[in-house]
Amino acid sequence: MFTTDSIPIINPTGSDEEYSALWGVAGPVAKQSLWLVHGLSRRWEDFSPILCDLTAWWHVHAYSHRGHGESTRTPGAYRVADYVPDLVAAVKAAHKKCVLIGHSLGALVSMGVAAQVPDLVTAVVLIDPPGPRFLSGLDTSPYGTIWRAMQKLAGRKDTSAVAREFADVRVPGAQPGETIRLGDFRDAASLRFVARCLRDLDPGVFDPPLKKHWLDGYDMFAIAKRVKCPALLIVADPLYGGMLPPEDANPLAAALPDCTRVDLPTVGHLVHWQDTPSTLRLLHSFLNSL
């Protein structure tokens, strides 16, 4: 059993607005904290498949990015480099050493934070961060179609209607000219959760990735070289929707000074949803090695 509390954060831009939503969950081990940092279009609840298990051992913060969930909207400031200072400020405000566990966009942000405040970040877990090679091919990827559809649906309040409409989105299939209905390979409950996330999402968060500006000011491999703490890199299978193809995964693993890499064949990008047992096993193995 755990409790969830809202924690205000200092806005580094100087505004009086609270720019991000953050929840702290108290576990019995509080020597340092775990921060769970979600991917594009999600929110802190995205980590619900692993949250209860982790709170049995750690003090856990589940964090929502700007533009997501109940966090402040910042139109025009949704590059990866814009998200990093938010989490830096939150980690500094907590005044405790921590481990960052980031998925997708959250992995890129976590890596940036680990490079900027090495005295506070003792380890980082990078779950299938989207690489530059993947992002450069977004126009021909199913994710390009999915993200454009999500952008159109963002902000709508009828969760059931959005879930049905999202399920009917057709994405490119394996064969030339083939399209597949999204609802035929994603279950209805997961699509409803996506629809609920979209309800509180600023559509502008999709502009930088779709317009190929997402990594402006963020050099993934140069930043990786500055991450001195141990890093666990979890690579999903590109054939099943993973966002870190070998052309990105290999140089990233080589750039991280202390990298433990695990590839998960047949597991897609939503690693902690699609293979929760393996995710928890890898996390506990890595965390208990620190």
Side-chain angles (χ1 to χ4, degrees):
M1 183 175 181
F2 58 89
T3 58
T4 302
D5 301 302
S6 179
I7 303 174
I9 306 170
I10 300 170
N11 188 337
T13 64
S15 166
D16 290 332
E17 293 182 307
E18 183 180 324
Y19 69 85
S20 60
L22 174 68
W23 281 261
V25 181
V29 179
K31 293 180 181 178
Q32 55 183 334
S33 300
L34 294 185
W35 289 74
L36 305 179
V37 193
H38 65 81
L40 180 67
S41 81
R42 315 288 275 192
R43 50 192 289 159
W44 74 268
E45 293 95 334
D46 177 59
F47 289 101
S48 57
I50 63 174
L51 185 59
C52 288
D53 188 286
L54 293 177
T55 57
W57 297 95
W58 298 81
H59 187 108
V60 178
H61 297 287
Y63 174 91
S64 290
H65 294 296
R66 58 170 65 194
H68 298 69
E70 298 177 14
S71 300
T72 298
R73 277 50 181 150
T74 56
Y78 292 123
R79 301 171 306 152
V80 174
D82 295 319
Y83 295 103
V84 173
D86 296 349
L87 187 53
V88 167
V91 167
K92 286 183 175 180
H95 302 293
K96 183 180 290 187
K97 290 187 176 183
C98 64
V99 177
L100 304 178
I101 300 176
H103 171 249
S104 193
L105 164 62
L108 296 177
V109 173
S110 296
M111 190 161 57
V113 174
Q116 284 198 28
V117 286
D119 55 322
L120 291 177
V121 180
T122 59
V124 64
V125 178
L126 311 173
I127 305 176
D128 208 45
R133 180 66 65 92
F134 161 80
L135 291 170
S136 68
L138 198 60
D139 292 339
T140 58
S141 163
Y143 285 106
T145 301
I146 291 170
W147 287 356
R148 282 188 287 270
M150 293 172 78
Q151 185 173 45
K152 292 179 181 178
L153 295 169
R156 287 175 45 179
K157 303 304 181 184
D158 189 335
T159 299
S160 297
V162 169
R164 291 192 296 269
E165 190 169 337
F166 190 48
D168 286 333
V169 171
R170 302 196 70 86
V171 300
Q175 303 301 322
E178 177 189 22
T179 63
I180 305 173
R181 180 177 173 272
L182 193 61
D184 290 339
F185 63 90
R186 287 197 182 179
D187 68 82
S190 296
L191 291 176
R192 184 175 173 85
F193 175 70
V194 172
R196 181 61 184 85
C197 291
L198 291 174
R199 176 177 171 176
D200 296 325
L201 187 71
D202 184 346
V205 303
F206 291 105
D207 285 337
L210 291 174
K211 294 178 180 178
K212 309 288 178 63
H213 299 310
W214 213 27
L215 297 182
D216 288 0
Y218 183 99
D219 186 329
M220 181 180 194
F221 305 115
I223 289 171
K225 292 179 180 179
R226 294 165 46 207
V227 176
K228 304 307 180 184
C229 63
L232 171 62
L233 175 62
I234 301 177
V235 182
D237 192 334
L239 296 178
Y240 288 77
M243 293 188 182
L244 196 66
E247 298 87 350
D248 291 323
N250 293 337
L252 177 59
L256 290 163
D258 185 357
C259 179
T260 299
R261 173 177 172 176
V262 178
D263 290 61
L264 295 178
T266 75
V267 178
H269 180 61
L270 291 171
V271 174
H272 52 301
W273 285 71
Q274 296 175 10
D275 194 346
T276 301
S278 290
T279 303
L280 287 170
R281 176 178 55 81
L282 294 172
L283 289 177
H284 284 302
S285 297
F286 179 71
L287 294 172
N288 287 323
S289 75
L290 300 175

mmCIF file of all heavy atoms in Angstrom, residues 54-71:
data_model
loop_
_atom_site.group_PDB
_atom_site.id
_atom_site.type_symbol
_atom_site.label_atom_id
_atom_site.label_comp_id
_atom_site.label_asym_id
_atom_site.label_seq_id
_atom_site.Cartn_x
_atom_site.Cartn_y
_atom_site.Cartn_z
ATOM 1 N N LEU A 54 8.183 -1.514 -7.445
ATOM 2 C CA LEU A 54 9.346 -0.692 -7.106
ATOM 3 C C LEU A 54 9.174 0.018 -5.773
ATOM 4 O O LEU A 54 10.141 0.201 -5.025
ATOM 5 C CB LEU A 54 9.611 0.323 -8.215
ATOM 6 C CG LEU A 54 10.073 -0.255 -9.550
ATOM 7 C CD1 LEU A 54 10.220 0.850 -10.585
ATOM 8 C CD2 LEU A 54 11.373 -1.031 -9.411
ATOM 9 N N THR A 55 7.935 0.413 -5.451
ATOM 10 C CA THR A 55 7.724 1.139 -4.189
ATOM 11 C C THR A 55 7.885 0.231 -2.975
ATOM 12 O O THR A 55 7.977 0.725 -1.849
ATOM 13 C CB THR A 55 6.333 1.789 -4.145
ATOM 14 O OG1 THR A 55 5.325 0.800 -4.334
ATOM 15 C CG2 THR A 55 6.204 2.865 -5.207
ATOM 16 N N ALA A 56 7.914 -1.072 -3.184
ATOM 17 C CA ALA A 56 8.179 -1.973 -2.067
ATOM 18 C C ALA A 56 9.632 -1.886 -1.604
ATOM 19 O O ALA A 56 9.953 -2.311 -0.488
ATOM 20 C CB ALA A 56 7.848 -3.413 -2.471
ATOM 21 N N TRP A 57 10.479 -1.308 -2.459
ATOM 22 C CA TRP A 57 11.914 -1.297 -2.163
ATOM 23 C C TRP A 57 12.530 0.096 -2.160
ATOM 24 O O TRP A 57 13.576 0.310 -1.546
ATOM 25 C CB TRP A 57 12.658 -2.143 -3.207
ATOM 26 C CG TRP A 57 12.243 -3.581 -3.177
ATOM 27 C CD1 TRP A 57 11.297 -4.185 -3.967
ATOM 28 C CD2 TRP A 57 12.726 -4.590 -2.301
ATOM 29 N NE1 TRP A 57 11.170 -5.501 -3.635
ATOM 30 C CE2 TRP A 57 12.041 -5.788 -2.614
ATOM 31 C CE3 TRP A 57 13.682 -4.591 -1.282
ATOM 32 C CZ2 TRP A 57 12.272 -6.977 -1.935
ATOM 33 C CZ3 TRP A 57 13.918 -5.790 -0.625
ATOM 34 C CH2 TRP A 57 13.220 -6.962 -0.940
ATOM 35 N N TRP A 58 11.915 1.024 -2.855
ATOM 36 C CA TRP A 58 12.535 2.323 -3.073
ATOM 37 C C TRP A 58 11.550 3.450 -2.796
ATOM 38 O O TRP A 58 10.341 3.249 -2.809
ATOM 39 C CB TRP A 58 13.016 2.455 -4.530
ATOM 40 C CG TRP A 58 14.048 1.455 -4.920
ATOM 41 C CD1 TRP A 58 13.836 0.157 -5.298
ATOM 42 C CD2 TRP A 58 15.459 1.651 -4.968
ATOM 43 N NE1 TRP A 58 15.021 -0.451 -5.581
ATOM 44 C CE2 TRP A 58 16.039 0.433 -5.391
ATOM 45 C CE3 TRP A 58 16.287 2.732 -4.698
ATOM 46 C CZ2 TRP A 58 17.407 0.275 -5.551
ATOM 47 C CZ3 TRP A 58 17.655 2.585 -4.866
ATOM 48 C CH2 TRP A 58 18.209 1.361 -5.275
ATOM 49 N N HIS A 59 12.107 4.630 -2.582
ATOM 50 C CA HIS A 59 11.291 5.851 -2.582
ATOM 51 C C HIS A 59 11.195 6.305 -4.036
ATOM 52 O O HIS A 59 12.210 6.619 -4.663
ATOM 53 C CB HIS A 59 11.946 6.938 -1.734
ATOM 54 C CG HIS A 59 11.092 8.147 -1.565
ATOM 55 N ND1 HIS A 59 10.480 8.468 -0.377
ATOM 56 C CD2 HIS A 59 10.723 9.108 -2.437
ATOM 57 C CE1 HIS A 59 9.782 9.576 -0.519
ATOM 58 N NE2 HIS A 59 9.916 9.984 -1.764
ATOM 59 N N VAL A 60 9.982 6.328 -4.585
ATOM 60 C CA VAL A 60 9.780 6.523 -6.021
ATOM 61 C C VAL A 60 9.082 7.844 -6.298
ATOM 62 O O VAL A 60 8.070 8.172 -5.668
ATOM 63 C CB VAL A 60 8.955 5.361 -6.616
ATOM 64 C CG1 VAL A 60 8.702 5.596 -8.107
ATOM 65 C CG2 VAL A 60 9.677 4.028 -6.407
ATOM 66 N N HIS A 61 9.623 8.592 -7.258
ATOM 67 C CA HIS A 61 8.956 9.766 -7.815
ATOM 68 C C HIS A 61 8.536 9.425 -9.239
ATOM 69 O O HIS A 61 9.362 8.982 -10.032
ATOM 70 C CB HIS A 61 9.891 10.978 -7.862
ATOM 71 C CG HIS A 61 10.356 11.458 -6.528
ATOM 72 N ND1 HIS A 61 9.534 12.133 -5.655
ATOM 73 C CD2 HIS A 61 11.567 11.379 -5.925
ATOM 74 C CE1 HIS A 61 10.225 12.451 -4.571
ATOM 75 N NE2 HIS A 61 11.451 11.997 -4.702
ATOM 76 N N ALA A 62 7.260 9.633 -9.555
ATOM 77 C CA ALA A 62 6.770 9.447 -10.916
ATOM 78 C C ALA A 62 6.431 10.824 -11.474
ATOM 79 O O ALA A 62 5.608 11.537 -10.914
ATOM 80 C CB ALA A 62 5.549 8.531 -10.930
ATOM 81 N N TYR A 63 7.048 11.173 -12.570
ATOM 82 C CA TYR A 63 7.148 12.552 -13.030
ATOM 83 C C TYR A 63 6.426 12.735 -14.363
ATOM 84 O O TYR A 63 6.517 11.867 -15.241
ATOM 85 C CB TYR A 63 8.644 12.839 -13.176
ATOM 86 C CG TYR A 63 9.047 14.163 -13.769
ATOM 87 C CD1 TYR A 63 9.275 15.255 -12.954
ATOM 88 C CD2 TYR A 63 9.247 14.297 -15.136
ATOM 89 C CE1 TYR A 63 9.693 16.460 -13.475
ATOM 90 C CE2 TYR A 63 9.661 15.504 -15.679
ATOM 91 C CZ TYR A 63 9.879 16.586 -14.850
ATOM 92 O OH TYR A 63 10.288 17.775 -15.375
ATOM 93 N N SER A 64 5.678 13.823 -14.525
ATOM 94 C CA SER A 64 5.036 14.165 -15.796
ATOM 95 C C SER A 64 5.746 15.348 -16.447
ATOM 96 O O SER A 64 5.928 16.396 -15.815
ATOM 97 C CB SER A 64 3.560 14.515 -15.595
ATOM 98 O OG SER A 64 2.803 13.369 -15.260
ATOM 99 N N HIS A 65 6.128 15.192 -17.710
ATOM 100 C CA HIS A 65 6.805 16.265 -18.437
ATOM 101 C C HIS A 65 5.893 17.469 -18.649
ATOM 102 O O HIS A 65 4.663 17.350 -18.635
ATOM 103 C CB HIS A 65 7.239 15.779 -19.831
ATOM 104 C CG HIS A 65 8.277 14.726 -19.832
ATOM 105 N ND1 HIS A 65 9.548 14.933 -19.353
ATOM 106 C CD2 HIS A 65 8.248 13.442 -20.292
ATOM 107 C CE1 HIS A 65 10.259 13.823 -19.516
ATOM 108 N NE2 HIS A 65 9.495 12.909 -20.071
ATOM 109 N N ARG A 66 6.497 18.599 -18.941
ATOM 110 C CA ARG A 66 5.749 19.768 -19.404
ATOM 111 C C ARG A 66 4.883 19.376 -20.609
ATOM 112 O O ARG A 66 5.276 18.569 -21.460
ATOM 113 C CB ARG A 66 6.700 20.895 -19.801
ATOM 114 C CG ARG A 66 7.697 20.508 -20.888
ATOM 115 C CD ARG A 66 8.475 21.683 -21.438
ATOM 116 N NE ARG A 66 9.349 22.288 -20.440
ATOM 117 C CZ ARG A 66 9.912 23.473 -20.590
ATOM 118 N NH1 ARG A 66 9.712 24.185 -21.706
ATOM 119 N NH2 ARG A 66 10.697 23.975 -19.653
ATOM 120 N N GLY A 67 3.671 19.914 -20.665
ATOM 121 C CA GLY A 67 2.772 19.622 -21.781
ATOM 122 C C GLY A 67 2.021 18.318 -21.644
ATOM 123 O O GLY A 67 1.156 18.015 -22.466
ATOM 124 N N HIS A 68 2.341 17.527 -20.622
ATOM 125 C CA HIS A 68 1.731 16.217 -20.416
ATOM 126 C C HIS A 68 0.992 16.194 -19.074
ATOM 127 O O HIS A 68 1.404 16.848 -18.110
ATOM 128 C CB HIS A 68 2.791 15.126 -20.399
ATOM 129 C CG HIS A 68 3.559 14.977 -21.675
ATOM 130 N ND1 HIS A 68 4.458 15.921 -22.134
ATOM 131 C CD2 HIS A 68 3.580 13.971 -22.588
ATOM 132 C CE1 HIS A 68 4.988 15.507 -23.281
ATOM 133 N NE2 HIS A 68 4.483 14.333 -23.574
ATOM 134 N N GLY A 69 -0.071 15.405 -19.012
ATOM 135 C CA GLY A 69 -0.793 15.249 -17.752
ATOM 136 C C GLY A 69 -1.239 16.584 -17.190
ATOM 137 O O GLY A 69 -1.803 17.419 -17.897
ATOM 138 N N GLU A 70 -0.955 16.802 -15.911
ATOM 139 C CA GLU A 70 -1.360 18.038 -15.238
ATOM 140 C C GLU A 70 -0.256 19.083 -15.249
ATOM 141 O O GLU A 70 -0.352 20.098 -14.550
ATOM 142 C CB GLU A 70 -1.778 17.715 -13.801
ATOM 143 C CG GLU A 70 -2.965 16.777 -13.708
ATOM 144 C CD GLU A 70 -3.317 16.406 -12.280
ATOM 145 O OE1 GLU A 70 -2.825 17.081 -11.357
ATOM 146 O OE2 GLU A 70 -4.076 15.447 -12.087
ATOM 147 N N SER A 71 0.782 18.875 -16.027
ATOM 148 C CA SER A 71 1.903 19.813 -16.046
ATOM 149 C C SER A 71 1.594 21.042 -16.889
ATOM 150 O O SER A 71 0.708 21.045 -17.733
ATOM 151 C CB SER A 71 3.154 19.114 -16.587
ATOM 152 O OG SER A 71 3.496 18.015 -15.780
#
